[in-house]
């Protein structure tokens, strides 16, 4: 940040110039830099003294550029909501007596930005993979996964200054359409560049995952609808870790819900991405996700607690081992610490220290049927959440909450009559045994390796969902292994009766779609299902059979 600001142009422009003048100054890359500056200021407000005047200088330039019809390319147009969010943050914290200029800049962005309200309307929303559909919009990026993940914030950002609830409703409906027609049991949607439908062999880009998590946090905060938080949490504990090795030194560009190899692919099932996309490595296919993915968990954690708009209450949004220290309205200093192995446990023990009494809220996930909370060692009481949040009156001093969030095992119908298995926040998959080959090693950092994974065991199974039993083997020392998201490390698993079936490969590198009417070629046997995020080769959508027929 210091470097970028130290090199700010006298006009206010930040970042590199295009010296050969082959393209004009485009605003888009600055949206992201400013998000980063905001996070630094939230962490250390003393940075604001020097940074805010420089941000303002840039904003005044951006306003003039937009008035002159300058500054927008197709990326800046799809992601206009991100810049509006930055301007709204300035409006709330550092308005500089110039609110009108901020709102005018927001309006110019919206006027020239992608009409997400139209893109997300039901009548034109694509219900299948888009590669063979004519795109009715003049920007090819509107059906591109990462742009969709980011663009879904725009209507909420615009709602905040227009108060037009239709915009917010269209984002909420668009979110539902996206997952209905392109969703995955891992929580995310498929877009191997562009929206990719429901088939388990199609890919999801890592950037789609981290951007959708951030968008889910924002949409919850603007709308108050906990469906967004439920999904962001599901993605954080399933789709995101599945795309990284346990150590996080290698990542894929694309993951598949059913993934029997991670290698340079022939045949390649992804219409717009290269054959190296699903190797685990430093920067397979394209480097963007290497730089982008480390914002996923930090933003998830920083959005785990929020305040109510009047700042008198604290809301615990994401369940997990998180803590916060803050000052609420009336100078009420509050510390909260959550002790839990969630999502690898069903209880959370929260210790709250507060100067004054206040109302505390905790999100009750939609997948928990009978949550209870015991306050200060009292009896567990059934919760009665409103809009997904349970309120608890907390006194001054120390309060302890023990929350039970035991979920049920649920099945999700998938294409070709296949099913996916869930238990609460975690999706479960067959973890295919693998061997590995180091394809490449970085000369400067030997831990950064490109890895090919091949299966070393049978993966062609149908399962009988009626036989599922849940196994929990918590660590005796009370501490989860680290890393946790790798082969057979989580303390939770399931046993299910399975039988071997005929299930072909596409090319030599990916599983065909699950056979619709599988017949057993072997006797029933038991297999183990593991949390999806810990599997690197896996089957997550299974054909079914009846073990007792
Ligand atoms: C808005 O977009 C149009 C083309 O779509 C372009 O001609 C115009 O210059 C843009 N305005 C701004 C403010 O960038
Ligand atoms: C609110 O937004 C919708 C969707 O863009 C639009 O059709 C409607 O005219 C807007 N309402 C107002 C009052 O501007
Ligand atoms: C991947 O395989 C393709 C052929 O399908 C080949 O052209 C390419 O060089 C390979 N990429 C790497 C990084 O090995
Ligand atoms: C919160 O924690 C900080 C740091 O440990 C401590 O200084 C402060 O007194 C605590 N506040 C309350 C209300 O317990
Ligand atoms: C929730 O309560 C219902 C009714 O008592 C019971 O049938 C069900 O098994 C409970 N589910 C869990 C996960 O505790
Ligand atoms: C990995 O297993 C496959 C069998 O699926 C085998 O062909 C290959 O040689 C093995 N590779 C290594 C590095 O062990
Ligand atoms: C606790 O036990 C787990 C295995 O169950 C082990 O991986 C971890 O390192 C242990 N942690 C500590 C702090 O001893
Ligand atoms: C699977 O079985 C159903 C019901 O018998 C039948 O309608 C369907 O065509 C079969 N699908 C295939 C691919 O054979
Ligand atoms: C599968 O495991 C269950 C216990 O979870 C056991 O009752 C059953 O006999 C096993 N089935 C087979 C085929 O091994």
């Amino acid at each position: 940040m210091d470097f970028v600001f130290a090199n700010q142009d006298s006009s206010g422009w930040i970042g590199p110039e295009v010296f050969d003048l082959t393209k004009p100054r485009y605003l888009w890359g600055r949206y992201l830099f400013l998000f980063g500056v905001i996070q630094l200021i939230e962490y250390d407000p003393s940075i604001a003294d020097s940074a805010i005047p420089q941000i303002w200088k840039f904003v005044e330039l951006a306003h003039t550029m937009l008035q002159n019809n300058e500054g927008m390319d197709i990326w800046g147009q799809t992601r206009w909501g991100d810049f509006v969010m930055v301007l709204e943050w300035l409006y709330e914290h550092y308005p500089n007596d110039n609110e009108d200029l901020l709102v005018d800049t927001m309006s110019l962005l919206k006027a020239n930005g992608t009409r997400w309200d139209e893109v997300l309307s039901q009548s034109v929303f694509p219900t299948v993979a888009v590669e063979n559909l004519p795109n009715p919009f003049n920007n090819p990026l509107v059906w591109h996964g990462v742009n969709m993940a980011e663009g879904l914030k725009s209507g909420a950002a615009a709602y905040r200054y227009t108060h037009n609830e239709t915009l917010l409703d269209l984002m909420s409906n668009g979110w539902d359409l996206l997952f209905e027609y392109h969703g995955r049991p891992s929580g995310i949607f498929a877009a191997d560049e562009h929206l990719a439908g429901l088939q388990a062999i199609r890919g999801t880009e890592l950037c789609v995952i981290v951007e959708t998590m951030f968008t889910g946090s924002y949409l919850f905060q603007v709308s108050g609808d906990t469906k967004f938080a439920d999904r962001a949490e599901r993605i954080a504990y399933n789709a995101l870790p599945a795309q990284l090795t346990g150590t996080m030194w290698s990542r894929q560009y694309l993951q598949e819900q059913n993934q029997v190899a991670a290698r340079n692919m022939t045949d390649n099932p992804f219409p717009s991405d290269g054959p190296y996309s699903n190797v685990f490595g430093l920067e397979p296919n394209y480097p963007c996700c290497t730089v982008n993915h480390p914002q996923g968990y930090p933003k998830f954690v920083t959005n785990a607690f929020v305040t109510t708009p009047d700042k008198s209450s604290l809301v615990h949004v994401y369940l997990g081992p998180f803590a916060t220290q803050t000052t609420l309205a009336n100078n009420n200093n509050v510390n909260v610490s959550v002790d839990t192995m969630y999502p690898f446990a069903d209880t959370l023990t929260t210790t709250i220290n507060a100067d004054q009494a206040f109302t505390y809220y905790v999100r009750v996930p939609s997948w928990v049927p009978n949550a209870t909370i015991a306050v200060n060692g009292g009896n567990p009481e059934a919760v009665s959440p409103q809009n997904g949040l349970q309120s608890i009156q907390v006194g001054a001093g120390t309060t302890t909450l023990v929350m039970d969030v035991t979920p049920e095992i649920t099945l999700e119908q998938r294409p070709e009559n296949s099913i996916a298995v869930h238990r609460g926040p975690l999706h479960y998959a067959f973890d295919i045994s693998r061997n590995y080959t180091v394809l490449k090693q970085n000369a400067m950092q030997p831990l950064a390796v490109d890895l090919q994974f091949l299966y070393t065991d049978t993966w062609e199974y149908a399962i009988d969902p009626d036989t599922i039993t849940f196994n929990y083997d918590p660590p005796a020392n009370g501490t989860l292994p680290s890393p946790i998201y790798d082969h057979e490390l989580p303390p939770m698993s399931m046993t299910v009766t399975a039988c071997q079936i005929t299930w072909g490969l596409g090319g030599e590198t990916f599983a065909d779609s699950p056979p619709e009417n599988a017949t057993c070629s072997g006797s029933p046997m038991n297999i183990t299902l593991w949390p999806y995020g810990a599997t690197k080769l896996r089957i997550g959508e299974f054909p079914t059979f009846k073990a007792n027929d």
Side-chain angles (χ1 to χ4, degrees), residues 56 59-60 63-64 87 98-106:
W56 260 100
V59 167
E60 281 164 8
H63 179 247
T64 305
L87 300 170
N98 212 348
E99 285 91 339
D100 290 351
L101 181 136
L102 291 172
V103 174
D104 198 47
T105 312
M106 295 176 206

Side-chain angles (χ1 to χ4, degrees), residues 95-169:
N96 214 17
D97 289 331
N98 212 348
E99 285 91 339
D100 290 351
L101 181 136
L102 291 172
V103 174
D104 198 47
T105 312
M106 295 176 206
S107 302
L108 287 164
L109 286 163
K110 180 169 181 289
N112 211 268
T114 296
R115 290 292 305 264
W116 285 108
D117 53 343
E118 293 176 358
V119 175
L120 295 171
S121 67
Q122 184 132 23
S123 55
V124 295
F125 192 84
T127 59
V128 294
V130 298
E131 58 269 12
N132 298 318
L133 297 182
N135 181 337
F137 300 97
N138 61 9
N139 182 341
L141 295 177
V142 299
W143 287 347
H144 177 262
V146 187
N147 284 282
M148 169 92 42
E150 297 191 30
L152 274 159
K153 298 196 288 298
S154 63
Y159 159 75
R160 294 198 66 214
Y161 78 90
T162 62
H163 303 162
N164 181 344
E165 288 190 17
T166 307
L167 292 170
L168 193 55
D169 292 345

